[in-house]
């Protein structure tokens, strides 16, 4: 039986939680987006309530050579104090004597935050001796950092081997895996994947893995032009990855074989330069003139995609349909976001994941109108690609 937070007895235990506190800070070291901290609070509070003494460890940014003021986790303390309703202690080195002493005297319900793990290069190298030092601070290990679950780092994977009987997922990890599984393992048919974004290269493994799992694949964004060109279409100056034309053809052939309906836009919004104020017009997506580039899907495609989305029972959305950061090329992305919200209101399960689709769903204020918004980024994408995530495997093994 796997351990979990709800059933485990934390009374009197020191609990080391790997959280993802990699939040953006401004020049005054203030947090500009606290989503990741907010997400971690339920796990922390539950363990405190159940009598555990909590030791938090995380990375922040990408320090190159040891400690750097701008990457210090101490900047998070005022916010954590408020959110947790307690005075969070701090060890200005994640290992060593001070950390050991502060961990040793920590009482049930108290919280100790360790300094940035990545001040040691051993963290990203997955160094076992470093992991062992961290492990020595606690009795129980909880991994709640889904955002780094695809990395075999010391604190996300290697450390778990020192807690063979006392390791578990936190709520974020549990929820992310459960909700992604609802699409890729237990999705109710018809299942539709809506994929967009700039490049095929970042998405091809997802497409390939989804080809035997979903009923419909909808393609939009910059990557549609590689598929259109592969089919012999004229794409003008649109974004194209010429080295992937064969790969795109193979994916479409496999879709045909496995009976997956593969939808490409029939029309596009084209522009004479990459600029919100460029001249623009609608055009057949397969007949884009030279000197023009496709920056959004057209209204006919928007309507067609909406119909498919609204007749689906399970929807996965990753990547915008166009350059949605520019108002004049945001319609397609906005339409898809609204169609997914509508389908969800009618009973579909919808999962939104990947940086830009999350930004889009927030921009249109629809985050609470879809079933689940994944915070996982790269980890989520790798999980959908069918890869084993080291952070997940370390807990399950
Ligand atoms: P990705 O990170 O691969 O999901 O790509 C997201 C980015 O793709 C966003 O910044 C969009 O502006 C960009 N994008 C979407 N459609 C296009 C397009 N037709 N041409 C160029 N870039 C695009």
């Amino acid at each position: 039986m796997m351990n979990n937070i709800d059933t485990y007895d934390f009374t009197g235990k020191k609990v080391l939680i790997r959280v993802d506190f990699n939040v953006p800070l401004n020049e005054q070291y203030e947090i500009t987006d606290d989503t990741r901290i907010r997400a971690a609070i339920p796990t922390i509070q539950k363990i405190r309530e159940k009598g555990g003494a909590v030791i938090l460890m995380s990375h922040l940014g990408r320090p190159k050579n040891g400690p750097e003021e701008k990457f210090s986790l101490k900047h998070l303390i005022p916010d954590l104090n408020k959110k947790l309703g307690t005075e969070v202690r701090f060890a200005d080195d994640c290992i060593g004597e001070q950390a050991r002493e502060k961990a040793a005297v920590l009482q049930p319900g108290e919280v100790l935050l360790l300094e940035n793990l990545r001040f040691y290069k051993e963290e990203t190298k997955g160094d076992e001796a470093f992991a062992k030092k961290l492990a020595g601070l606690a009795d129980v290990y909880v991994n709640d950092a889904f955002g780094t679950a695809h990395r075999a780092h010391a604190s996300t994977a290697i450390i778990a081997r020192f807690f063979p009987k006392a390791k578990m997922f936190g709520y974020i990890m549990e929820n992310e895996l459960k909700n992604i599984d609802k699409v890729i393992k237990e999705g109710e048919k018809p299942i539709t994947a809506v994929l967009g974004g700039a490049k095929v290269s970042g998405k091809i493994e997802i497409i390939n893995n989804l080809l035997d799992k979903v009923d419909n694949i909808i393609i939009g964004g910059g990557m549609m032009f590689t598929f259109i060109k592969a089919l012999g279409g004229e794409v003008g100056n649109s974004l194209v990855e010429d080295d992937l034309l064969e790969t795109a053809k193979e994916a479409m052939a496999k879709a045909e074989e496995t009976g997956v309906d593969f939808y490409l836009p029939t029309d596009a919004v084209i522009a004479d330069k990459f600029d919100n104020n460029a001249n623009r017009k609608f055009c057949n997506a397969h007949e884009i003139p030279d000197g023009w580039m496709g920056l959004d899907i057209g209204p006919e495609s928007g309507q067609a995609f909406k119909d498919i989305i609204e007749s689906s029972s399970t929807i996965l959305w990753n990547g915008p349909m166009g350059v949605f950061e520019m108002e004049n090329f945001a319609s397609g992305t906005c339409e898809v976001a609204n169609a997914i919200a509508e389908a969800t209101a009618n009973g579909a399960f919808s999962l939104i994941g990947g940086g830009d689709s999350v930004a889009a769903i927030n921009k249109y204020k629809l985050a609470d109108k879809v079933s689940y918004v994944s915070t996982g980024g790269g980890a989520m994408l790798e999980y959908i690609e069918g890869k084993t995530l080291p952070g997940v495997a370390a807990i399950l093994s």
Side-chain angles (χ1 to χ4, degrees):
M1 253 294 274
M2 250 193 62
N3 294 316
N4 78 62
I5 293 189
D6 290 318
T7 54
Y8 197 84
D9 183 7
F10 290 101
T11 321
K13 296 274 189 339
K14 302 255 160 55
V15 187
L16 187 56
I17 314 180
R18 175 51 159 107
V19 285
D20 179 0
F21 282 173
N22 185 26
V23 290
L25 301 178
N26 65 17
E27 308 232 309
Q28 285 74 47
Y29 305 132
E30 292 156 347
I31 302 164
T32 55
D33 179 352
D34 68 349
T35 311
R36 288 179 173 154
I37 300 182
R38 270 189 287 122
I41 300 300
T43 295
I44 301 170
Q45 296 297 58
K46 188 70 182 187
I47 294 172
R48 291 178 64 211
E49 276 163 27
K50 294 183 74 177
V54 169
I55 305 167
L56 299 172
M57 58 175 175
S58 178
H59 73 287
L60 174 65
R62 295 178 175 213
K64 293 257 149 35
N65 266 320
E68 260 179 90
E69 177 71 10
K70 67 173 176 184
F71 296 126
S72 174
L73 281 167
K74 72 172 183 233
H75 305 308
L76 275 53
I77 293 175
D79 184 68
L80 280 172
N81 286 346
K82 244 187 266 160
K83 288 190 167 79
L84 293 171
T86 185
E87 207 161 299
V88 172
R89 284 133 219 263
F90 185 68
D92 56 20
D93 187 349
C94 63
I95 54 172
E97 203 174 315
Q98 193 206 63
R100 276 199 305 276
E101 277 168 12
K102 291 197 169 178
V105 299
L106 205 65
Q107 296 301 306
E110 292 183 340
V111 182
L112 169 68
L113 174 67
L114 304 179
E115 182 56 291
N116 196 342
L117 295 160
R118 290 202 191 160
F119 286 169
Y120 286 88
K121 59 182 180 333
E122 287 86 345
E123 162 64 358
T124 49
K125 284 190 173 154
D127 184 83
E128 187 166 6
F130 176 70
K132 192 173 180 188
K133 286 181 195 158
L134 291 168
L137 300 174
D139 311 301
V140 183
Y141 169 66
V142 175
N143 188 353
D144 211 17
F146 185 69
T148 47
H150 56 320
R151 308 276 180 232
H153 292 172
S155 72
T156 61
I158 312 304
I159 192 170
R161 63 183 69 146
F162 300 104
F163 299 91
K165 294 204 165 61
K167 56 182 179 177
M168 67 200 81
F169 294 132
Y171 289 132
I172 300 175
M173 284 285 266
E174 227 173 57
N175 268 334
E176 289 276 343
L177 297 171
K178 193 175 75 193
N179 282 293
I180 305 174
D181 284 348
K182 274 192 200 165
V183 175
I184 61 171
K185 294 194 180 149
E186 307 138 17
E188 191 187 317
K189 286 176 168 283
I191 309 175
T192 298
V194 184
L195 302 172
K199 291 184 167 179
V200 180
S201 42
K203 308 283 160 82
I204 193 68
E205 290 184 61
I206 294 181
I207 295 174
N208 286 334
N209 191 46
L210 290 178
L211 279 172
D212 52 17
K213 297 187 172 56
V214 303
D215 303 286
N216 308 304
I217 292 186
I218 290 176
I219 302 280
M223 69 187 209
M224 70 197 218
F225 300 106
T226 300
F227 288 97
I228 290 175
K229 187 167 179 185
L231 290 172
E234 300 289 340
V235 298
N237 292 22
S238 305
L239 196 66
V240 169
E241 286 165 282
D242 281 312
D243 53 332
L244 289 178
L245 293 173
E246 270 316 303
T247 311
K249 264 189 218 160
E250 279 162 23
M252 289 186 283
K254 188 174 163 204
E256 178 108 38
E257 250 169 59
T258 51
V260 173
D261 287 322
F262 200 91
Y263 296 96
L264 287 167
T266 50
D267 60 344
V269 182
I270 58 172
D272 59 357
K273 57 179 178 211
F274 193 81
D275 189 316
N276 190 43
N277 299 317
N279 291 309
R280 69 200 139 89
K281 53 186 180 184
F282 298 129
C283 155
N284 182 316
H286 293 249
E287 294 170 8
I288 300 177
D290 282 342
W292 292 76
M293 61 185 90
L295 295 185
D296 195 8
I297 60 170
E300 185 183 277
S301 312
Q303 183 61 46
F305 292 177
K306 180 173 168 348
D307 292 343
I308 300 161
I309 290 166
E310 288 182 8
S311 58
S312 302
S313 297
T314 306
I315 303 147
L316 164 71
W317 181 29
N318 170 271
M321 295 291 99
V323 185
F324 77 108
E325 299 93 333
M326 298 184 198
E327 223 34 63
N328 286 329
F329 307 105
S331 299
T333 303
C334 182
E335 269 175 281
V336 159
N338 277 293
I340 294 173
E342 186 67 31
T344 313
N346 292 327
F349 177 81
S350 55
L351 171 70
I352 318 300
D356 280 312
S357 12
V358 176
I361 210 84
N362 286 331
K363 181 172 169 184
Y364 304 122
K365 307 221 175 335
L366 295 171
D368 58 354
K369 303 222 160 26
V370 296
S371 310
Y372 192 74
V373 178
S374 169
T375 56
M380 175 206 158
L381 297 184
E382 288 198 17
Y383 194 63
I384 295 178
E385 283 168 9
K387 293 191 179 135
T388 302
L389 307 184
V392 173
I395 299 288
L396 296 180
S397 65

